[in-house]
Amino acid sequence: MKFLIIGLLFLSFAVNAQESKQFTIEGKIKAPLTVTLDNLSTYKSVNLDSMTIFNHLMQRKSSIKNIKGVLLKDILAKVEIDAASPKTLSEYYLVFTATDNYKVVYSWNEIFNSPIGNQLMVLSSYDTEPTKAEKGNIAVITPSDFATGRRFVKGLSKISILQVN
């Protein structure tokens, strides 16, 4: 029994630590899109030297360095939202889901009608503290957020584009 519990604990840690080498964009769109780590290199690259990650209490959690990625807006340009008219786009939101089922929400207006969309990045690689490369683990972050850790999605597996009922 003891070994079974230890084995289950080990398995749960392994599941939470899954890397993401691709993600799918799905939902209220004309056709789903799968983006791989290799696909990300075909987009215009955005690089940042470093960022501090703060939690919801604005306490420093860690930092990331050597940040490489692309703007989410560039990826979403290849996706056609199934909207009745441009007016209804204000009713849409995007749910970003990680491999460990952590979820973060952005509205369509945040991404396409505010400065946030000009910074919202899909990361293809970054280094963490202590020095640990996260290459091969796709992530999403908004550098302009105050509590950057709240919307730091490591191990991105899916983006769902949905409409408010």
Side-chain angles (χ1 to χ4, degrees):
M1 185 63 154
K2 186 178 190 181
F3 293 112
L4 179 62
I5 292 171
I6 292 170
L8 288 173
L9 284 172
F10 178 75
L11 183 61
S12 70
F13 287 128
V15 168
N16 286 338
Q18 289 180 352
E19 287 188 344
S20 169
K21 298 201 183 290
Q22 71 177 30
F23 64 93
T24 304
I25 302 173
E26 60 183 32
K28 293 204 62 157
I29 57 176
K30 302 252 173 140
L33 175 68
T34 299
V35 179
T36 67
L37 205 52
D38 290 336
N39 293 138
L40 289 175
S41 65
T42 65
Y43 294 92
K44 181 182 174 191
S45 181
V46 177
N47 298 313
L48 298 174
D49 289 333
S50 65
M51 266 183 70
T52 302
I53 306 300
F54 294 99
N55 68 12
H56 64 288
L57 299 173
M58 295 304 297
Q59 297 167 333
R60 184 186 185 283
K61 285 182 66 176
S62 64
S63 69
I64 57 176
K65 298 177 182 176
N66 304 317
I67 303 161
K68 294 181 177 88
V70 300
L71 292 179
L72 177 69
K73 283 169 59 168
D74 292 346
I75 297 169
L76 293 178
K78 296 188 177 214
V79 174
E80 189 176 352
I81 296 177
D82 193 9
S85 74
K87 183 179 180 180
T88 62
L89 288 172
S90 291
E91 300 173 4
Y92 283 77
Y93 61 99
L94 290 77
V95 179
F96 295 74
T97 305
T99 55
D100 64 359
N101 212 31
Y102 182 72
K103 292 182 176 119
V104 169
V105 176
Y106 287 83
S107 72
W108 181 90
N109 276 314
E110 267 183 292
I111 296 169
F112 292 100
N113 194 28
S114 82
I116 290 172
N118 295 330
Q119 294 189 8
L120 178 55
M121 295 175 60
V122 176
L123 306 183
S124 54
S125 70
Y126 55 95
D127 299 330
T128 61
E129 281 181 4
T131 305
K132 174 188 165 200
E134 288 285 346
K135 294 170 181 38
N137 199 9
I138 300 172
V140 172
I141 198 161
T142 307
S144 60
D145 281 352
F146 300 124
T148 47
R150 302 298 299 158
R151 297 200 288 191
F152 186 16
V153 179
K154 295 176 272 187
L156 179 66
S157 65
K158 176 173 61 174
I159 299 173
S160 302
I161 301 176
L162 305 169
Q163 184 178 15
V164 174
N165 294 333

